[in-house]
Amino acid sequence: MKPRVDVRRVDGLLTHALVYGAGEPLVIVPGIGCAAYAYRKLAVHLSRHFEVWCYDPPGHGRSEARAFDHITISRLSDHLRAWLDAANLNRPVIVGHSLGGEVAIDLAGRFPDALGRLVLLAPTGVPENPSVPLQLARLMLDAWIERPTLLSRLLPAYVRCGPLRIALIAEDQRVHETEPQLVAIRAPVLVMAGTFDVVISSHAIRTLCAFVPDVRSKKVPGPHAFWYSRVRIVTREIVSFVHDAAPSPTS
């Protein structure tokens, strides 16, 4: 499936997105250093049920950035909110992976009217992030257990984003307080975690779920990017969560 390319100026920056399918809008917010095109496999599967927007934050993928700007979680969520308004996306489903999950949490807590439902795939930030060297070490360890086909997409994205921007965002992650936004979330939340994720601990996922008022959690076999290797499972869980308003127990 060939996506539609969407480019619009937001906060003075040309902002890029790839759009798949049609129907209820769903936005994928990428992990640190990642790009919209890296999530093509997940987007194609989800596009059978939604209009999927793969968004490139400032300095990620093909979106522009200013030096030393949009390097904090709050600035990234400010831009995401402005981009949603510019794209006329009314209360979409937000799917955030890793750092994208942390940005989505900040968005949901500060701008509750900006989204309908929230899906967090191995989100960072709870209870807190470790030092930048330890974060990077965990990512390097995770690379050994991810699919090579995914790594071939991620590495060019990391190079384009650049080590300085990645390090600065990771440093803000270390000090960013997520709990105030978690308790302010009013949207239903689905949290999904990989069973052998070396980046995000199961304790962090349990802590996150304890803060959010309306949450369900699911474990999926796989590493940090389980959404790639287990794309059918992840798609099925997201579709069920969005279309089933009834709460389900956490697992």
Side-chain angles (χ1 to χ4, degrees):
M1 175 185 293
K2 187 176 181 179
R4 173 168 59 89
V5 178
D6 182 90
V7 180
R8 60 186 70 240
R9 193 170 293 278
V10 179
D11 192 20
L13 303 171
L14 288 178
T15 304
H16 174 270
L18 298 174
V19 188
Y20 300 79
E24 182 179 0
L26 179 149
V27 175
I28 297 177
V29 185
I32 191 168
C34 295
Y37 60 76
Y39 293 82
R40 181 183 185 278
K41 186 176 182 179
L42 178 60
V44 168
H45 278 75
L46 287 170
S47 68
R48 299 165 187 164
H49 310 275
F50 306 96
E51 180 184 64
V52 181
W53 293 68
C54 292
Y55 158 77
D56 275 334
H60 292 65
R62 296 181 176 89
S63 289
E64 291 182 342
R66 289 182 289 267
F68 301 103
D69 194 8
H70 297 99
I71 55 173
T72 66
I73 304 302
S74 60
R75 285 292 288 148
L76 287 168
S77 65
D78 285 344
H79 186 274
L80 176 56
R81 172 58 193 268
W83 175 79
L84 291 171
D85 288 344
N88 295 313
L89 294 175
N90 182 31
R91 297 179 65 83
V93 179
I94 300 289
V95 178
H97 170 238
S98 195
L99 169 79
E102 193 169 353
V103 172
I105 289 169
D106 198 73
L107 175 81
R110 295 170 59 214
F111 308 107
D113 62 330
L115 71 160
R117 286 177 176 249
L118 178 60
V119 179
L120 303 173
L121 307 178
T124 57
V126 183
E128 70 271 337
N129 282 292
S131 67
V132 173
L134 184 54
Q135 289 187 64
L136 297 179
R138 289 179 176 179
L139 287 172
M140 291 294 291
L141 179 60
D142 178 70
W144 286 96
I145 56 178
E146 298 288 359
R147 296 278 181 91
T149 49
L150 175 62
L151 294 178
S152 68
R153 290 177 169 269
L154 292 179
L155 290 177
Y158 290 146
V159 171
R160 183 176 179 85
C161 185
L164 178 59
R165 181 171 293 273
I166 291 173
L168 290 172
I169 294 172
E171 175 60 25
D172 183 69
Q173 283 184 281
R174 189 179 65 82
V175 299
H176 179 251
E177 293 187 3
T178 306
E179 288 87 344
Q181 281 71 45
L182 285 171
V183 298
I185 292 175
R186 294 297 173 261
V189 180
L190 170 65
V191 182
M192 302 181 73
T195 53
F196 48 95
D197 188 340
V198 298
V199 179
I200 307 300
S201 71
S202 57
H203 170 68
I205 297 298
R206 288 194 299 269
T207 301
L208 184 151
C209 292
F211 278 101
V212 180
D214 182 0
V215 64
R216 67 183 76 175
S217 68
K218 299 291 180 181
K219 292 182 180 179
V220 178
H224 190 56
F226 60 85
W227 50 267
Y228 186 84
S229 57
R230 305 291 182 175
V231 65
R232 289 181 175 83
I233 296 175
V234 172
T235 299
R236 184 176 67 243
E237 292 293 344
I238 292 175
V239 172
S240 175
F241 168 67
V242 172
H243 293 162
D244 177 15
S248 69
T250 59
S251 63

